[in-house]
């Protein structure tokens, strides 16, 4: 495992605290960057204080020129990446010569983040951490990182039943089975494909225009590969059918699925199934019982309820040891 994304289900679910904990506990040379911006001392949306990213001596970090100049600790520049420009300047890769706080800002495209991970490894990082930006699951794509940690908590919902339901829903999507057709599908160009004895492309480029087809999509076949987003609207359209027991939808990975728990559950109860070309390796869930509105949920109760439905380490990084084996 060479890279881990740390993704929050909502703002203030403890993503940065999780990141700081991993940075502190892992005895490896860590490389770190962000998809987007993270590490500011004040939340730009809520104007409330937030934890800053603290790196230790020897950490290899990547951020933009603007934020590199703002840091207040000594570091050694390893590279300035002209081909990885952002609106905040070029990406600087540097090694910290002492501990300190830094604002991380990296490329927002998946391809550029993947390139940056390779370069952090080239400069000596044994494990690269990707800090996911606000409510974005994209860095957790298995195409980008090898594994992920999911941060959830009171900021997602103060209603414990809702918190558990929403977290379990995302875990269900992350743990969808892989399709046995990976090799035949992985290199197809963008579009919607029907899979029968052969694989045929439908005359639409995305599910945004499925209602432009000349006939109901299920008249074309029962198994489909969708390269783009799998939307709630499309699944609601399918669930108007009484029986979906032979319907299988295949997407690249869970980050392409945008379904509410209710819509997904109806689809599955009617017999439909969703598979992915590549599965993300979810290694732990961290919880933050503190809401930015000032409320605090019972940490032990959150853990107990999540452990009842999710077979993964559930960790409060302020109380527990983190296990990444």
């Amino acid at each position: 495992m060479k890279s881990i994304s740390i993704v929050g289900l909502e703002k203030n679910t403890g993503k940065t605290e999780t990141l700081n904990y991993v940075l502190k506990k892992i005895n490896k040379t860590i490389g770190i960057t962000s998809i987007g911006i993270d590490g500011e001392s004040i939340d730009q949306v809520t104007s409330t204080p937030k934890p800053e990213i603290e790196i230790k001596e020897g950490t290899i970090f990547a951020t933009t020129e603007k934020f590199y100049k703002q840091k207040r600790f000594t570091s050694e520049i390893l590279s300035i990446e002209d081909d990885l420009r952002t609106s905040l300047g070029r990406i600087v890769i540097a090694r910290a010569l002492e501990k300190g706080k830094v604002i991380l800002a990296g490329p927002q495209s998946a391809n550029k983040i993947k390139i940056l991970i390779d370069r952090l490894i080239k400069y000596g990082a044994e494990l690269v951490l990707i800090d996911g930006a606000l409510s974005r699951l994209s860095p957790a794509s298995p195409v980008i990182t090898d594994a992920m940690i999911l941060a959830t908590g009171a900021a997602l919902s103060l209603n414990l039943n809702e918190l558990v339901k929403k977290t379990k829903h995302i875990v269900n999507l992350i743990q969808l089975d892989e399709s046995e057709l990976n090799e035949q599908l992985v290199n197809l160009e963008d579009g919607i494909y029907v899979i029968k004895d052969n694989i045929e492309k439908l005359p639409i480029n995305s599910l945004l225009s499925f209602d432009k087809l000349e006939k109901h999509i299920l008249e074309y076949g029962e198994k489909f590969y969708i390269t783009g987003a799998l939307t709630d609207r499309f699944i609601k359209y399918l669930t108007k059918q009484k029986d979906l027991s032979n319907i299988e939808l295949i997407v690249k990975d869970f980050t392409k699925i945008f379904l509410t728990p209710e819509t997904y559950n109806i689809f599955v109860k009617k017999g439909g199934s969703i598979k992915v070309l590549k599965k993300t390796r979810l290694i732990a869930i961290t919880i933050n019982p503190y809401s930015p509105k000032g409320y605090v949920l019972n940490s032990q109760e959150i853990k107990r309820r999540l452990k009842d439905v999710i077979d993964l380490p559930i960790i409060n990084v302020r109380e527990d040891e983190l296990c990444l084996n």
Side-chain angles (χ1 to χ4, degrees), residues 6-258:
I6 299 174
V7 176
L9 273 181
E10 187 53 85
K11 285 183 69 66
N12 302 300
T13 50
K15 179 169 57 66
T16 304
E17 285 200 47
T18 301
L19 187 71
N20 283 333
Y21 195 83
V22 175
L23 279 166
K24 196 179 295 180
K25 294 292 183 180
I26 296 293
N27 190 26
K28 289 183 176 181
T29 301
I30 298 289
I32 185 169
T33 190
S34 172
I35 187 162
I37 302 174
D38 207 359
E40 315 99 306
S41 59
I42 301 294
D43 190 295
Q44 298 300 308
V45 176
T46 63
S47 299
T48 54
K50 56 179 290 189
E52 297 174 85
I53 295 172
E54 299 179 24
I55 60 176
K56 58 187 178 184
E57 180 182 350
T59 301
I60 299 170
F61 63 98
T63 191
T64 60
E65 290 174 297
K66 175 183 175 180
F67 292 130
Y68 183 81
K69 291 172 183 172
Q70 291 180 5
K71 67 175 180 51
R72 294 288 182 266
F73 59 88
T74 307
S75 62
E76 167 193 19
I77 292 179
L78 302 174
S79 172
I80 297 176
E81 304 292 329
D82 286 319
D83 58 336
L84 297 178
R85 287 177 177 273
T86 75
S87 59
L88 299 172
R90 295 174 295 180
I91 297 294
V92 178
I93 298 177
R95 178 184 289 109
L97 299 179
E98 58 184 340
K99 68 178 182 180
K101 297 177 180 176
V102 64
I103 297 176
L104 295 175
Q108 298 209 20
S109 82
N111 287 340
K112 287 186 176 180
I113 277 287
K114 194 164 174 53
I115 291 169
L116 187 52
I117 290 172
D118 290 340
R119 291 181 187 172
L120 287 165
I121 292 172
K122 171 187 158 187
Y123 284 109
E126 297 173 286
L127 178 67
V128 177
L129 303 179
I130 303 297
D131 188 6
L134 167 63
S135 298
R136 288 184 60 180
L137 297 172
S138 56
S141 166
V143 176
I144 301 176
T145 49
D146 299 329
M148 76 177 285
I149 298 173
L150 183 66
T152 187
L156 181 64
S157 177
L158 290 173
N159 181 310
L160 189 51
N161 290 332
E162 278 295 303
L163 190 161
V164 172
K165 182 179 80 172
K166 291 180 177 178
T167 304
K168 171 63 174 166
H169 173 60
I170 294 298
V171 171
N172 285 342
L173 300 184
I174 293 169
Q175 296 182 329
L176 287 171
D177 290 336
E178 290 187 349
S179 168
E180 67 281 4
L181 297 173
N182 188 317
E183 289 186 8
Q184 292 102 305
L185 301 178
V186 68
N187 292 320
L188 293 178
E189 62 182 26
D190 288 348
I192 313 294
Y193 295 85
V194 58
I195 303 164
K196 295 188 279 193
D197 293 337
N198 53 2
I199 299 172
E200 295 177 8
K201 189 176 183 184
L202 294 182
I204 53 174
N205 289 324
S206 78
L207 290 181
L208 292 175
S209 52
F210 71 84
D211 48 4
K212 301 287 192 301
L213 289 167
E214 293 182 353
K215 53 187 180 183
H216 194 288
I217 193 167
L218 295 184
E219 293 183 43
Y220 291 91
E222 296 176 328
K223 185 182 289 190
F224 299 89
Y225 173 51
I226 300 148
T227 62
L230 177 58
T231 63
D232 217 57
R233 176 172 165 261
F234 177 66
I235 295 296
K236 284 180 176 175
Y237 175 72
L238 293 186
T239 54
K240 291 177 182 175
Q241 307 294 311
K242 286 184 180 177
D243 182 11
L244 298 173
S245 56
N246 293 317
I247 306 304
E248 180 177 312
L249 307 177
I250 304 168
V251 295
K252 288 184 176 179
D253 59 64
F254 87 98
T255 66
K256 299 293 185 183
I257 303 173
F258 298 88

Side-chain angles (χ1 to χ4, degrees), residues 21 25 313-324:
Y21 195 83
K25 294 292 183 180
I314 311 289
I315 300 157
N316 180 342
V317 295
R318 292 188 180 183
E319 300 173 352
D320 307 322
E321 287 297 317
L322 188 61
C323 175
L324 294 179

Side-chain angles (χ1 to χ4, degrees), residues 257-314:
I257 303 173
F258 298 88
L259 304 180
T260 64
E262 293 76 15
T263 304
Y264 174 74
N265 289 336
I266 292 171
F267 179 71
V268 171
K269 280 181 181 175
K270 288 196 169 189
S273 68
I274 301 174
K275 291 186 177 180
V276 294
L277 291 190
K278 197 165 185 182
K279 190 173 180 176
T280 291
R281 182 182 171 198
L282 177 60
I283 56 176
I285 294 173
T286 60
I287 61 166
N288 177 11
Y290 295 89
S291 157
K293 295 178 180 176
Y295 299 100
V296 184
L297 296 179
N298 184 307
S299 172
Q300 294 302 317
E301 185 65 8
I302 298 174
K303 282 196 285 188
R304 186 187 67 76
R305 290 286 305 278
L306 288 175
K307 282 181 177 179
D308 284 344
V309 294
I310 299 171
D311 185 21
L312 283 168
I314 311 289

